[in-house]
Amino acid sequence: MSILIKPIITEKATMQSEVLNAYAFEVNTKANKVEIKKAVEAAYGVSVEKVRTINVRPDRRTRFTKTGIQHGKTNAVKKAIVQLAEGETIDLYANM
């Protein structure tokens, strides 16, 4: 089971990484905070101080087409905001 799916790179996440030394990741929905902490420490070689998680609900949409009404939804995801120890950073752009 892969814990870390991908890093989240948005304006808000970039600001948090610069100001608060906190990085955002999309993680497996069944992962807990201890597993997320161990996965980030193993993948990036940093020490994690705090992990905050967010369960994001799916978005539901209804479309009116010529064949009828179509209902759909996106997948539910889990986000983790990982705060690192003082003086440590993660270079998310090194693998690109």
Side-chain angles (χ1 to χ4, degrees):
M1 175 171 95
S2 177
I3 304 292
L4 298 176
I5 296 174
K6 64 180 179 179
I8 297 173
I9 302 172
T10 58
E11 289 183 20
K12 185 176 181 178
T14 305
M15 187 272 308
Q16 284 182 345
S17 67
E18 293 171 355
V19 176
L20 303 174
N21 202 21
Y23 295 87
F25 294 94
E26 186 176 322
V27 297
N28 191 331
T29 56
K30 298 190 185 291
N32 59 27
K33 292 182 180 186
V34 176
E35 293 172 342
I36 294 167
K37 179 179 178 178
K38 288 180 183 177
V40 170
E41 287 176 347
Y44 295 103
V46 294
S47 60
V48 175
E49 282 188 354
K50 185 178 9 176
V51 177
R52 294 175 288 163
T53 59
I54 307 158
N55 285 313
V56 180
R57 64 175 171 75
D59 288 333
R60 298 184 187 278
R61 291 194 179 119
T62 303
R63 292 189 182 124
F64 299 96
T65 63
K66 63 182 176 181
T67 59
I69 298 174
Q70 300 290 321
H71 299 285
K73 68 178 185 71
T74 60
N75 294 330
V77 295
K78 187 173 194 174
K79 295 180 186 179
I81 299 173
V82 178
Q83 187 164 0
L84 302 181
E86 191 68 31
E88 297 202 14
T89 59
I90 296 176
D91 188 14
L92 297 175
Y93 302 104
N95 301 18
M96 296 177 118

